[in-house]
Amino acid sequence: MDEFALIRHYFSRLTDDDASIVVGIGDDCAQVRVPSGMDLVLSIDTLVEGTHFLPGTEPAHIASRLMGAAVSDLAAMGAQPAWFTLALTLPRADEAWLAAFSEQLGRCARQFGIRLVGGDTTRGPLTLSVQVQGLVPAGRGLHRRGAREGDLVCVTGTLGDSRAGLDIQLRPDAQPDRLPASSLALLQRFFAPEPRLATGLLIADYASSCIDISDGLLADLGHILKASQVGARIERQQLPLSGALRTYTDIQQARDWALCGGEDFELCFTVPAARWDALCVKLQSHEVPVSCVGEILPASDGLCLEDGGVKLSSGTVDAGYNHFAQGNSA
Ligand code: ADP
Ligand code: MG
């Protein structure tokens, strides 16, 4: 199958007719219509076999991971997903692989409300890039730079699950068909991140800053602190942990993973204390839980970690945070 037949067969049919797409797959560029009064937000994410996923990972899992991670960046900006392009580098045209990959890609695209409008296909070591494009009201959107002293630090969902999902895969005795339901749920968190799109849109009018958690809460909160020139206090005991994670490991390991394990693709955001009650009213009928895990401090405080109100350690915002992990939480 040549490159053009491959594109036609597996990818052209993923685009739907949409009034916003003036020209879709098949021309030199896609042409899309940005509604007046909106800004376009863009982000690109790449997965490389052997670096971001283990060789032999199922193509459907790769598609879910790719789309979940890319669209999560739109959620973190409080954006409405609109279009995406796909750059595929494939070692060979493996039709079974392409069928499974493109089917799952299409499923995720429909679920997240984002449309494929173009891409590039080349031969080489398995590498996948997705560039996502979304819309925010002109001049608005959520950014890393707006946190202020006294704001509350919040996170969506539960943390640490994806790190546990990685742990399960790395076990030498891993046998997927023998795993308990709780472990399957953790694997699902690793392979199929759920971008918090609805939450991003909901908090956009309340939050002072936001980021999605791809490298771990401490590392990603560190980006907010740096961009906003503030410090923060995080309380270990307030970290939201899933039942599945608590079943899988002990509480200290679970909290370490919640702080430092990456790829949860939850949102970390800050809210002025005066806006918190109004946001809580909005969140009452929202399906994704939001937890308050700390507070923004002056820049001079750096990032402080507490356990039951007792200060464990603090780091400069620039530092790596691995020293927070692993059993120094006594
Ligand atoms: P060009 O050489 O002009 O860049 P290509 O031959 O690379 O064009 O691609 C032809 C058309 O197919 C373009 O519209 C491009 O966006 C689309 N395309 C190529 N690869 C993919 C892909 N993996 N997924 C979706 N669209 C693709
Ligand atoms: Mg090309």
Side-chain angles (χ1 to χ4, degrees):
M1 184 178 270
D2 72 18
E3 176 193 338
F4 300 105
L6 184 155
I7 294 164
R8 243 190 342 268
H9 188 73
Y10 293 105
F11 297 105
S12 297
R13 62 191 175 85
L14 295 190
T15 31
D16 13 46
D17 274 336
D18 188 277
S20 72
I21 304 173
V22 183
V23 177
I25 293 174
D27 214 312
D28 291 310
C29 291
Q31 183 174 341
V32 294
R33 188 145 301 162
V34 179
S36 67
M38 302 299 268
D39 285 346
L40 186 66
V41 293
L42 314 165
S43 167
I44 188 160
D45 266 302
T46 298
L47 296 183
V48 179
E49 185 181 55
T51 302
H52 301 99
F53 57 90
L54 300 172
T57 299
E58 282 177 38
H61 284 157
I62 297 172
S64 301
R65 255 307 259 91
L66 184 68
M67 290 301 285
V71 171
S72 175
D73 285 319
L74 294 178
M77 294 289 284
Q80 185 82 49
W83 312 285
F84 73 106
T85 56
L86 168 71
L88 267 186
T89 303
L90 303 169
R92 72 198 82 84
D94 175 340
E95 300 214 17
W97 192 97
L98 278 161
F101 174 81
S102 63
E103 190 175 313
Q104 185 62 19
L105 193 85
R107 202 171 290 138
C108 292
R110 279 190 298 280
Q111 185 188 338
F112 305 149
I114 192 162
R115 296 156 202 92
L116 182 65
V117 292
D120 197 24
T121 307
T122 52
R123 197 174 285 264
L126 185 59
T127 305
L128 312 98
S129 293
V130 157
Q131 195 218 35
V132 291
Q133 300 154 23
L135 299 166
V136 297
R140 306 285 297 279
L142 289 166
H143 307 119
R144 298 178 179 186
R145 61 181 183 230
R148 296 285 169 270
E149 185 183 342
D151 289 359
L152 305 174
V153 178
C154 303
V155 295
T156 59
T158 57
L159 300 178
D161 297 330
S162 187
R163 179 62 185 79
L166 176 64
D167 197 68
I168 292 166
Q169 291 173 79
L170 292 176
R171 293 190 155 199
D173 54 345
Q175 284 188 325
D177 46 336
R178 296 265 189 94
L179 291 171
S182 58
S183 293
L184 292 175
L186 297 171
L187 280 176
Q188 180 75 1
R189 287 294 310 265
F190 180 91
F191 285 124
E194 287 179 48
R196 299 305 189 188
L197 287 165
T199 318
L201 287 169
L202 189 150
I203 64 173
D205 290 334
Y206 300 86
S208 50
S209 71
C210 185
I211 193 167
D212 67 326
I213 302 177
S214 53
D215 296 332
L217 173 63
L218 292 180
D220 289 313
L221 175 62
H223 295 308
I224 285 185
L225 303 186
K226 205 166 173 209
S228 304
Q229 298 190 302
V230 291
R233 176 180 69 74
I234 294 295
E235 170 56 56
R236 264 176 86 84
Q237 295 188 17
Q238 312 249 300
L239 297 168
L241 307 174
S242 69
L245 183 60
R246 291 291 293 109
T247 302
Y248 183 71
T249 190
D250 66 83
I251 184 83
Q252 297 304 349
Q253 177 70 272
R255 286 178 177 155
D256 286 347
W257 282 348
L259 287 169
C260 300
E263 321 227 325
D264 283 315
F265 297 106
E266 297 291 353
L267 300 180
C268 170
F269 60 97
T270 59
V271 192
R275 304 281 284 151
W276 176 244
D277 287 346
L279 177 59
C280 285
V281 171
K282 274 277 204 178
L283 287 169
Q284 264 166 14
S285 52
H286 188 62
E287 61 182 10
V288 179
V290 167
S291 312
C292 184
V293 296
E295 178 192 10
I296 295 294
L297 303 176
S300 53
D301 285 294
L303 179 46
C304 309
L305 190 61
E306 296 182 359
D307 194 345
V310 179
K311 190 164 167 176
L312 296 172
S313 59
S314 55
T316 62
V317 168
D318 274 328
Y321 294 97
N322 287 335
H323 60 283
F324 281 136
Q326 262 132 40
N328 58 355
S329 50

